[in-house]
Amino acid sequence: MIPTVEWKNGIVRMLDQTRLPLETVYNDCKDYQTVARGIKELWVRGAPAIGVSAAMGLALGARQIAANTFDEFWPKFEEICAHMAATRPTAVNLFWAIERMKKFAQANREKSIDEIRGLLVDESQRMLDEDIETNRRIGGYGSVFVSDDDNIITHCNAGSIATAGYGTAEGVMRSAVEEGKKIHVYVDETRPVLQGARLTAWELMQENIPCTLITDNMAGYFMFHDMVDVAIVGADRIARNGDVANKIGTYSLAVLCKEHGIPFYVAAPLSTIDFTMEAGSSIPIEERDPREVTHVFGKVQIAPDGVRVANPAFDVTPARYITAIITEVGAFHPKDIHRLADGKTDPEKLRLK
Ligand code: MRU
């Protein structure tokens, strides 16, 4: 596992995933503005990784604030939080991480500003460490849904580098392999930014997990020919009713799975569940630069000049297409997911396996 993001001697180092798989390059961020830019420009992407990067960015921002008292510090810190929140609208982990850092700062308001700065760094590091542990748990709960010799299909990248480490959907695959199961993964290339082709294929190959890269529109072909046993994807935001926002194309994949009787699993931490959002229809969908569609990776033009383009980066898969949502406290039927809010219901009572 290579680090996705890390705090190193007062800077935040972000893996520049736009350069993968050809080059493994880290960008050093000396201020919160650069971290925010890195999130927006997809140096680091994937819901949990965005959350941890934002938290580290805020810890960096706290060091840029000139203040002697908490009352001086707080409005400036809130401005930095707002700047960070404006980077990407769909992944709720971003807002979850910002809220956690704000609450943590408030809880320590009686301490000196210097102490608060240090504590915010510690808190962001804690979030990173917790995320890896969370993903291992997701892997443990999810691997029971993977059988020996399964052919899995996945979309986008929900691997180690989409998180602080280990991955969500890919964590489930990794866990199954660690248990000795033989698997093979069909990797959707994931137009337009190609997270599947560039990142998932690369990660699986690094892990020696057999995989086959396909274009997004080939998924139905392989299902029709009985070559896919199970689908596992990640999530950017899950609503209370179990609807799931994930990379554009996830909905089409889920519909295909239903048609072919293939179970469709979503692996995500509790921090991806938006317990304030009733249904997926309210999830904000990021609209990205048309150039991502008209050009291959911003370089080679493949569409006529001036063509009208739509580029929604995510779609919402209704809960009825989802077999189970796999979290760090167990796998659940999507309709039960809202009952996990605030730890009110014992997950044991709701778990599927
Ligand atoms: O635009 P991206 O690359 O940030 O989109 C990422 C996804 O859609 C992932 O599937 C999701 O964030 C889960 S990552 C563990």
Side-chain angles (χ1 to χ4, degrees), residues 166-352:
Y166 203 74
T168 55
E170 241 173 86
V172 171
M173 300 171 205
R174 210 185 285 265
S175 235
V177 170
E178 281 166 13
E179 288 167 9
K181 292 172 189 163
K182 281 201 286 300
I183 60 167
H184 163 262
V185 185
Y186 286 105
V187 179
D188 280 0
E189 67 170 349
T190 317
R191 275 285 288 154
V193 188
L194 305 172
Q195 289 93 332
R198 294 185 302 104
L199 310 176
T200 305
W202 176 76
E203 283 197 294
L204 291 172
M205 288 174 79
Q206 299 250 319
E207 293 288 322
N208 288 321
I209 297 177
C211 63
T212 302
L213 176 63
I214 61 172
T215 62
D216 299 342
N217 51 358
M218 292 175 189
Y221 170 91
F222 288 101
M223 292 184 193
F224 184 83
H225 290 285
D226 281 335
M227 292 161 82
V228 179
D229 300 295
V230 53
I232 313 173
V233 299
D236 283 83
R237 192 185 296 229
I238 301 173
R240 287 174 66 84
N241 69 347
D243 292 351
V244 169
N246 191 48
K247 180 52 55 194
I248 191 77
T250 303
Y251 168 60
S252 322
L253 191 69
V255 173
L256 274 172
C257 282
K258 187 146 196 136
E259 169 65 20
H260 294 92
I262 295 167
F264 187 89
Y265 295 102
V266 172
L270 293 175
S271 53
T272 301
I273 305 174
D274 185 346
F275 290 111
T276 69
M277 195 156 277
E278 219 42 66
S281 51
S282 307
I283 298 176
I285 300 296
E286 178 180 10
E287 182 73 28
R288 290 187 63 85
D289 191 342
R291 215 180 144 85
E292 290 181 349
V293 177
T294 55
H295 290 65
V296 177
F297 214 51
K299 291 187 182 103
V300 182
Q301 186 173 342
I302 52 167
D305 283 331
V307 67
R308 192 185 304 151
V309 172
N311 187 14
F314 301 94
D315 57 28
V316 174
T317 299
R320 65 178 181 280
Y321 292 99
I322 299 164
T323 311
I325 296 175
I326 305 160
T327 75
E328 67 270 37
V329 294
F332 306 98
H333 193 279
K335 76 170 169 27
D336 286 332
I337 214 75
H338 69 279
R339 297 175 65 191
L340 298 172
D342 306 325
K344 276 181 195 136
T345 313
D346 179 4
E348 185 84 46
K349 298 206 172 93
L350 302 173
R351 265 186 214 132
L352 286 176

